[in-house]
Amino acid sequence: SQQGEEDPQALSIQEGENATMNCSYKTSINNLQWYRQNSGRGLVHLILIRSNEREKHSGRLRVTLDTSKKSSSLLITASRAADTASYFCVYSGSARQLTFGSGTQLTVLP
Amino acid sequence: DAEITQSPRHKITETGRQVTLACHQTWNHNNMFWYRQDLGHGLRLIHYSYGVQDTNKGEVSDGYSVSRSNTEDLPLTLESAASSQTSVYFCASSPTRNSPLHFGNGTRLTVT
């Protein structure tokens, strides 16, 4: 399987703290995306970073990409209880099929 | 507002029955996808379509079929439901092959 791996599998932090999630993949990629999934709902797209980009920001989100290490990280700054969700990295390789990571369950405690 | 809707939200069926899950999108997207989500496996691709009359097998297509007769709909059919097909099923769409996906809210299927 070419499934990506996410680390940690679960993360629990206090409101206001930063949350960092990591994703590793096995193939060359065209781009890498991060999605959020709230309990009982579908995935929602957060941010896309292309293979020639190293860092991207969107609001409180910061994504980095290191193609030499085949890894990406998602940083959520000043977390809120509403950020509690599962976060997935999703990448597109040469076959243009999307591969989903196993997800990180983030819990933000009030 | 454009959206993607799945129905039903919950379904319980018996082993051996044929089941069809509906997916309807009003984004006018060419690409549509069906995934299943199981604990420990993340999301796995079942079938996908890049346009009307186009269908392709994904990673876990055995026991499933799809048809694409118009842009808006991609129904997923389980020909003879098996307990191993108990899962949460998500439909998604995108305008181009490298675009972000828009997901429905899923159908929870239980095969008894």
Side-chain angles (χ1 to χ4, degrees), chain A residues 64-101:
Chain A
T64 62
L65 180 64
D66 187 334
T67 53
S68 67
K69 295 181 179 178
K70 290 187 169 57
S71 67
S72 175
S73 67
L74 171 67
L75 168 68
I76 304 174
T77 60
S79 62
R80 306 166 181 169
D83 295 328
T84 293
S86 293
Y87 291 82
F88 293 87
C89 70
V90 183
Y91 55 91
S92 169
S94 57
R96 293 194 172 183
Q97 292 304 316
L98 295 178
T99 301
F100 286 77

Side-chain angles (χ1 to χ4, degrees), chain A residues 15-75:
Chain A
E15 217 168 15
E17 293 181 339
N18 296 341
T20 299
M21 288 158 270
N22 303 297
C23 169
S24 61
Y25 55 91
K26 299 177 182 178
T27 66
S28 60
I29 62 171
N30 294 318
N31 62 59
L32 187 141
Q33 305 173 49
W34 285 89
Y35 287 76
R36 183 187 75 233
Q37 183 180 31
N38 291 93
S39 180
R41 305 296 295 270
L43 280 70
V44 175
H45 179 258
L46 295 175
I47 194 166
L48 181 152
I49 186 166
R50 302 189 191 284
S51 59
N52 61 354
E53 298 176 310
R54 292 297 168 258
E55 187 171 312
K56 201 162 184 180
H57 297 254
S58 176
R60 294 184 296 113
L61 305 179
R62 172 178 170 254
V63 169
T64 62
L65 180 64
D66 187 334
T67 53
S68 67
K69 295 181 179 178
K70 290 187 169 57
S71 67
S72 175
S73 67
L74 171 67
L75 168 68

Side-chain angles (χ1 to χ4, degrees), chain A residues 1 3 30-31 33 35 37 40-45 48 50 88 90 92-93 95-102, chain B residues 9 33 35 37 40-45 48 50 58-59 88 90 97-106 108:
Chain A
S1 169
Q3 187 175 13
N30 294 318
N31 62 59
Q33 305 173 49
Y35 287 76
Q37 183 180 31
R41 305 296 295 270
L43 280 70
V44 175
H45 179 258
L48 181 152
R50 302 189 191 284
F88 293 87
V90 183
S92 169
R96 293 194 172 183
Q97 292 304 316
L98 295 178
T99 301
F100 286 77
S102 50
Chain B
R9 287 300 311 274
F33 307 84
Y35 292 91
Q37 185 176 33
H41 288 281
L43 270 75
R44 293 181 291 175
L45 182 63
Y48 59 101
Y50 288 144
E59 178 187 358
V88 181
F90 286 98
R97 297 191 187 191
N98 276 326
S99 301
L101 297 175
H102 297 254
F103 280 86
N105 281 325
R108 182 175 295 276

Side-chain angles (χ1 to χ4, degrees), chain A residues 42-43, chain B residues 4-7 21-25 31-36 43 46-47 72-76 88-94 101-107:
Chain A
L43 280 70
Chain B
I4 179 166
T5 55
Q6 294 183 235
S7 61
L21 308 183
C23 174
H24 179 80
Q25 53 101 0
N31 306 326
M32 295 185 73
F33 307 84
W34 274 104
Y35 292 91
R36 59 178 288 174
L43 270 75
I46 305 171
H47 281 286
E72 296 81 14
D73 299 289
L74 188 70
L76 177 71
V88 181
Y89 291 86
F90 286 98
C91 181
S93 70
S94 69
L101 297 175
H102 297 254
F103 280 86
N105 281 325
T107 294

